Amino acid sequence: MAAPLRGFRLRRAGSAQKFGVAAGSLRGLLRKGCRLLQVPLAGSRLCLYEDGTELSEGFFRTLPPQTELVLLGAGESWQGCVSDVERLLAAFHSQQDAVVKAAQKLLSDEQAPRRQKLLADLIHNLQENIAAEDRQEDSKWFEGLESRFKNKSSYMRYSCESRIRSYMKEVNNFISNVHPTARDAYKRIIDLMSDKLKSAKYNGCYFDRREEEAVRLCTTEGWFSCQGPFDRDDCPCKHSINPYSNKESRILFSTWNLDHIIEKKRTVVPELAEAVKTRDGREVNWEYFYQLLFTIDNLKLVHIACHKKTGHNLSCDKTKIYRKRKQTHEIS
DNA sequence: CTGGGGTAAATTATGACGCC
DNA sequence: GGCGTCATAATTTACCCCAG
């Protein structure tokens, strides 16, 4: 059941030359348009010439024939043909590019490290695109990332999830060190923790700027501040970073650590194993250990300079290792 | 054939420890 | 004091598997 063909007027973002193309679906129109205008299909989209609205399959079906469209390649964008604000922004953008180019030219001949750094930082700061969220708005940000990542927030979310997942993996790996008689009980706790983690989506919310303020570690713009060494309340150096701003910041952010205040490997996991081994009829308060391992109750986001790798010499709260006895629980 | 999930190996930095 | 080795902390990368 092929949909009837309808004609449209296509052009590239930079050109006034228009082409007539007929298709019955958005996919078909994209395919034909890309072939005709010699644009790689991957990452290409169509939007209204009028105001830049991007076409979805559903929206496409509502369009009258001969609608004026712009065919965008990966990373290109079209803001629409009219708005004064858009013109102003476009003008500003082209100026900014000129400034960046000039700075880059100066930088290429610069020998003195200090001036090199100043220029590089300037370029770096001008090339931010913090507001952009989707791949097509800021394709540079996504360079080197797998194609499945469609917007910045979901990638940042993913990167947080994988960090947290690796903590769970470490709890798993510790099984071999758990006393044989305690292994089954330890495994049961692993299962409980895994389920809770899954339902919490591996706490990916920490890095996701779209999340509610209460659960994210950044501002709505994506700014993260270093929370300082594990044994201080603040960061003496006032480190901050916005991994959403550009590729370099994104990569740099991966050197920031989620530091366990009470250390995971040296303390929390061994103490959990010990608690399981010597529980002696009591019920291990696995949710306390969950907090210590996977939540910001015990995690600090720190710049690498504030990440002390020395022993923290902290131990778990002994009063929280086991559940209160059943009786007291039932009375309350 | 892509997206989602998982994992093993590689990478980088640093502290701890013993030895000469 | 300097050196090699091992352990620890944290992440990235490439790769595999499975479902739709």
Side-chain angles (χ1 to χ4, degrees), chain A residues 148-149 154-169 201-204 207 258:
Chain A
R148 64 185 155 120
F149 298 112
S154 64
Y155 173 75
M156 291 304 298
R157 214 187 157 79
Y158 165 81
S159 79
C160 186
E161 285 170 13
S162 15
R163 294 188 194 206
I164 304 279
R165 255 196 286 274
S166 72
Y167 305 157
M168 186 67 235
K169 192 186 146 201
K201 301 260 195 63
Y202 295 96
N203 289 337
F207 289 180
L258 281 171

Side-chain angles (χ1 to χ4, degrees), chain A residues 102-121:
Chain A
Q104 278 168 337
K105 186 160 189 323
L106 285 172
L107 179 59
S108 66
D109 299 330
E110 187 55 69
Q111 293 302 313
R114 195 178 109 82
R115 288 197 297 270
Q116 240 176 39
K117 174 163 169 54
L118 284 169
L119 284 166
D121 285 352

Side-chain angles (χ1 to χ4, degrees), chain A residues 125-161:
Chain A
N125 280 316
L126 285 176
Q127 287 190 320
E128 290 181 342
N129 192 355
I130 293 178
E133 174 68 8
D134 294 337
R135 199 165 194 128
Q136 55 264 32
E137 293 172 280
D138 191 354
S139 61
K140 283 211 161 147
W141 192 91
F142 290 87
E143 261 173 31
L145 297 184
E146 293 168 62
S147 57
R148 64 185 155 120
F149 298 112
K150 295 174 186 66
N151 56 60
K152 293 181 181 178
S153 297
S154 64
Y155 173 75
M156 291 304 298
R157 214 187 157 79
Y158 165 81
S159 79
C160 186
E161 285 170 13

Side-chain angles (χ1 to χ4, degrees), chain A residues 62-247:
Chain A
T62 70
L63 292 179
Q66 304 309 320
T67 302
E68 304 266 345
L69 301 173
V70 176
L71 176 62
L72 299 173
E76 293 174 349
S77 67
W78 177 254
Q79 312 295 335
C81 61
V82 272
S83 153
D84 287 342
V85 180
E86 301 301 346
R87 287 221 177 92
L88 178 69
L89 286 175
F92 176 75
H93 257 277
S94 63
Q95 280 305 100
Q96 182 172 307
D97 285 353
V99 174
V100 169
K101 286 218 171 66
Q104 278 168 337
K105 186 160 189 323
L106 285 172
L107 179 59
S108 66
D109 299 330
E110 187 55 69
Q111 293 302 313
R114 195 178 109 82
R115 288 197 297 270
Q116 240 176 39
K117 174 163 169 54
L118 284 169
L119 284 166
D121 285 352
L122 173 69
I123 293 165
H124 185 242
N125 280 316
L126 285 176
Q127 287 190 320
E128 290 181 342
N129 192 355
I130 293 178
E133 174 68 8
D134 294 337
R135 199 165 194 128
Q136 55 264 32
E137 293 172 280
D138 191 354
S139 61
K140 283 211 161 147
W141 192 91
F142 290 87
E143 261 173 31
L145 297 184
E146 293 168 62
S147 57
R148 64 185 155 120
F149 298 112
K150 295 174 186 66
N151 56 60
K152 293 181 181 178
S153 297
S154 64
Y155 173 75
M156 291 304 298
R157 214 187 157 79
Y158 165 81
S159 79
C160 186
E161 285 170 13
S162 15
R163 294 188 194 206
I164 304 279
R165 255 196 286 274
S166 72
Y167 305 157
M168 186 67 235
K169 192 186 146 201
E170 200 173 304
V171 180
N172 272 303
N173 289 344
F174 200 76
I175 283 193
S176 52
N177 301 320
V178 175
H179 194 271
T181 58
R183 275 187 196 164
D184 284 346
Y186 187 84
K187 279 181 194 162
R188 276 195 295 279
I189 287 174
I190 285 181
D191 289 340
L192 291 167
M193 282 182 168
S194 297
D195 289 347
K196 187 167 170 133
L197 264 184
K198 271 189 194 120
S199 65
K201 301 260 195 63
Y202 295 96
N203 289 337
C205 54
Y206 294 156
F207 289 180
D208 185 346
R209 63 177 175 181
R210 300 167 305 186
E211 277 287 349
E212 289 171 38
E213 187 175 2
V215 295
R216 59 178 143 83
L217 285 172
C218 59
T219 67
T220 41
E221 292 82 34
W223 286 100
F224 292 83
S225 298
C226 174
Q227 298 177 313
F230 75 93
D231 51 359
R232 286 190 54 139
D233 283 338
D234 58 342
C235 169
C237 311
K238 301 277 177 205
H239 298 122
S240 70
I241 189 169
N242 189 334
Y244 289 85
S245 63
N246 54 37
K247 181 185 170 191

